[in-house]
């Protein structure tokens, strides 16, 4: 009996020693554990910006301003056409922006075939990249929440604040309403801009009247978007937008002679009454509507994001508040993109 007990004791000791030596690390088992808690892991903020031919300097300045004013983990999705991608990639990789995290995404304009009505009044508004915002889920695969920015913006605040914008349940996107700033009202009066649905949709058309939207309803500006990709896909937002693009081709429901952009009108229709709001200071608009109208310097210093929507861009002449834009501009290493200035 004693010999049997001794043998069992030896076997037990050997088994313990074997397990110590050959123990499988916990991280390789099915019961994996994170080395960092969710609170400690840094969230990635995806920011989508287009790099169009002839205005790549705008995209570069926008990216530069975002990167310089945040400690957040930003991933830039830079969207371009096949012919422009090599230029923007070279610009970034041969400047101080080479440290940013970015992906270059090619946009195929064939997805727009038969969906854009030709309009000669402002042909630049029909450029394919103006419609990239319609196709965010096709370009961005792994992110739940995405920021889209027009290229003619400068970000003076921490982009984390914009990303933290709360979207109400069931809302696929957040925008800035065009009736939200007293100073905006003053500028609208001075340059005759539209800030209601009447300025974007043709209410003489029955299809527009059938929407039941009052023409005096405040519009919103889709140059800055915080989007929820799950809701976007669930509500088939892209399909809805394409439907109104096709109807416009057939019925001429809106045009660039109205609100100044054929990409805004279908979004006004699809998102009416179904979008959240962005903090007004995170989208100060209309800096490009007139070469004369100006905001106060104090107001602009407090602004988080400046947008030169309109004809008068800060890389061209004439334009206003160009000094604020040039603070973030990085010259083109290839020398192809040049600023237009009175003395140039």
């Amino acid at each position: 009996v004693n010999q049997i007990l001794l043998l069992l004791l030896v076997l037990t000791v050997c088994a313990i020693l074997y397990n110590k030596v050959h123990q499988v690390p916990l991280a390789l088992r099915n019961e994996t554990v994170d080395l960092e808690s969710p609170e400690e892991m840094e969230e990635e903020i995806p920011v989508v910006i287009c790099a169009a031919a002839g205005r790549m300097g705008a995209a570069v300045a926008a990216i530069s301003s975002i990167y310089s004013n945040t400690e957040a983990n930003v991933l830039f999705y830079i969207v371009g056409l096949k012919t422009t991608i090599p230029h923007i990639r070279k610009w970034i990789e041969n400047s101080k922006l080479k440290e940013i995290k970015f992906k270059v995404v090619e946009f195929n304009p064939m997805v727009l075939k038969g969906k854009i009505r030709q309009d000669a009044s402002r042909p630049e508004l029909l450029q394919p990249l103006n419609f990239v915002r319609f196709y965010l889920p096709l370009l961005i695969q792994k992110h739940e929440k995405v920021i889209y920015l027009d290229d003619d913006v400068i970000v003076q605040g921490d982009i984390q604040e914009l990303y933290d914008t709360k979207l109400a349940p069931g809302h696929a996107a957040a925008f800035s309403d065009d009736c939200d700033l007293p100073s905006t009202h003053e500028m609208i009066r001075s340059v005759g801009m539209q800030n209601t649905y009447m300025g974007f949709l043709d209410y003489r058309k029955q299809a527009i009247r059938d929407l039941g939207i009052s023409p005096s309803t405040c519009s919103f500006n889709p140059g800055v978007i915080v989007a929820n990709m799950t809701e976007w896909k669930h509500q088939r937002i892209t399909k809805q937008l394409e439907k109104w693009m096709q109807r416009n081709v057939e019925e001429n429901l809106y045009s660039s002679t109205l609100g100044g952009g054929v990409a805004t009108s279908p979004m006004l229709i699809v998102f009416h009454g179904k979008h959240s709001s962005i903090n007004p200071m995170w989208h100060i608009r209309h800096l490009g509507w007139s070469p004369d109208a100006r905001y106060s310097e104090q107001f602009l210093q407090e602004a988080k994001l400046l947008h030169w929507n309109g004809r008068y861009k800060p890389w061209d002449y004439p334009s206003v508040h160009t000094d604020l834009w040039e603070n973030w501009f990085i010259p083109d290493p290839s020398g192809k993109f040049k600023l237009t200035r009175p003395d140039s």
Side-chain angles (χ1 to χ4, degrees):
V1 173
N2 290 337
Q3 289 178 335
I4 293 173
L5 291 174
L6 181 61
L7 179 61
L8 290 173
L9 179 62
V10 171
L11 290 174
T12 301
V13 171
C14 289
I16 293 172
L17 291 174
Y18 180 87
N19 285 334
K20 287 284 187 181
V21 174
H22 297 279
Q23 186 176 18
V24 179
L26 182 61
L28 298 182
R29 298 180 189 172
N30 291 332
E31 303 170 1
T32 58
V33 295
D34 291 326
L35 296 178
E36 295 181 292
S37 66
E39 292 77 19
E40 294 171 331
M41 296 178 68
E42 189 176 14
E43 188 173 19
E44 197 169 64
I45 298 178
V47 177
V48 178
I49 295 180
C50 295
R55 48 193 290 164
M56 286 189 193
V60 167
I63 292 169
S64 172
S65 69
I66 295 167
Y67 180 66
S68 300
N69 287 305
T70 187
E71 296 294 328
N73 181 23
V74 180
L75 172 60
F76 293 97
Y77 284 84
I78 304 171
V79 187
L81 301 181
K82 187 175 183 178
T83 55
T84 62
I85 284 176
H87 186 187
I88 191 66
R89 184 184 293 277
K90 182 178 179 181
W91 197 332
I92 290 172
E93 292 177 349
N94 290 277
S95 71
K96 64 182 182 181
L97 291 180
K98 62 186 177 183
E99 302 298 329
I100 70 171
K101 291 173 59 177
F102 74 100
K103 292 183 179 180
V104 175
V105 182
E106 180 183 344
F107 182 69
N108 185 354
M110 289 303 295
V111 301
L112 301 173
K113 188 175 181 180
K115 302 183 183 74
I116 301 178
R117 184 183 183 89
Q118 294 304 312
D119 192 323
S121 62
R122 291 194 65 188
E124 74 276 11
L125 297 174
L126 302 177
Q127 295 301 316
L129 294 182
N130 282 336
F131 301 91
V132 162
R133 70 199 89 188
F134 290 15
Y135 298 94
L136 292 177
L138 301 181
L139 300 169
I140 310 299
Q141 302 294 332
K142 66 175 184 175
H143 299 285
E144 168 74 10
K145 197 174 185 183
V146 175
I147 293 174
Y148 167 87
L149 298 177
D150 276 354
D151 60 2
D152 51 355
V153 306
I154 287 297
V155 175
Q156 301 185 136
D158 186 342
I159 199 71
Q160 181 76 54
E161 294 179 26
L162 181 60
Y163 185 75
D164 290 340
T165 298
K166 301 296 183 184
L167 273 66
H171 285 179
F175 307 96
S176 294
D177 291 319
D178 281 334
C179 299
D180 57 5
L181 287 174
S183 55
T184 298
H185 298 165
E186 183 61 38
M187 182 168 277
I188 287 171
R189 284 195 295 270
S190 68
V191 297
M193 291 180 297
Q194 296 290 341
N195 66 334
T196 65
Y197 273 60
M198 175 68 83
F200 292 87
L201 305 178
D202 188 348
Y203 276 84
R204 296 172 298 179
K205 302 296 174 67
Q206 187 61 44
I208 297 301
R209 294 198 299 271
D210 288 345
L211 292 170
I213 302 173
S214 169
S216 62
T217 301
C218 286
S219 55
F220 58 79
N221 187 300
V224 176
I225 308 173
V226 180
N228 181 308
M229 292 293 92
T230 299
E231 281 294 338
W232 193 292
K233 289 181 279 190
H234 176 70
Q235 297 178 32
R236 298 170 62 85
I237 296 295
T238 297
K239 289 296 182 184
Q240 292 188 59
L241 292 167
E242 288 184 325
K243 181 192 80 171
W244 284 102
M245 292 170 74
Q246 290 168 333
R247 288 197 66 174
N248 183 57
V249 170
E250 299 163 2
E251 305 173 50
N252 194 21
L253 302 176
Y254 51 84
S255 75
S256 61
T257 58
L258 291 171
V262 293
T264 297
S265 300
M267 299 198 84
L268 291 176
I269 296 171
V270 171
F271 284 101
H272 174 254
K274 295 184 293 185
H275 70 275
S276 299
S277 296
I278 290 173
N279 182 325
M281 297 305 288
W282 267 100
H283 194 180
I284 305 304
R285 311 178 279 297
H286 313 310
L287 275 72
W289 272 88
S290 167
D292 302 313
R294 288 175 173 269
Y295 286 111
S296 73
E297 292 300 323
Q298 181 180 356
F299 180 74
L300 291 177
Q301 288 174 5
E302 296 172 356
K304 304 289 187 178
L305 182 148
L306 305 177
H307 189 185
W308 280 263
N309 58 310
R311 296 174 182 266
Y312 302 97
K313 303 301 185 184
W315 56 90
D316 280 336
Y317 180 83
S319 56
V320 296
H321 304 298
T322 54
D323 55 325
L324 295 174
W325 184 86
E326 282 194 50
N327 283 339
W328 308 108
F329 174 68
I330 298 172
D332 183 0
S334 72
K336 295 177 182 177
F337 181 93
K338 293 182 172 61
L339 302 182
T340 302
R341 294 294 180 255
D343 55 349
S344 63

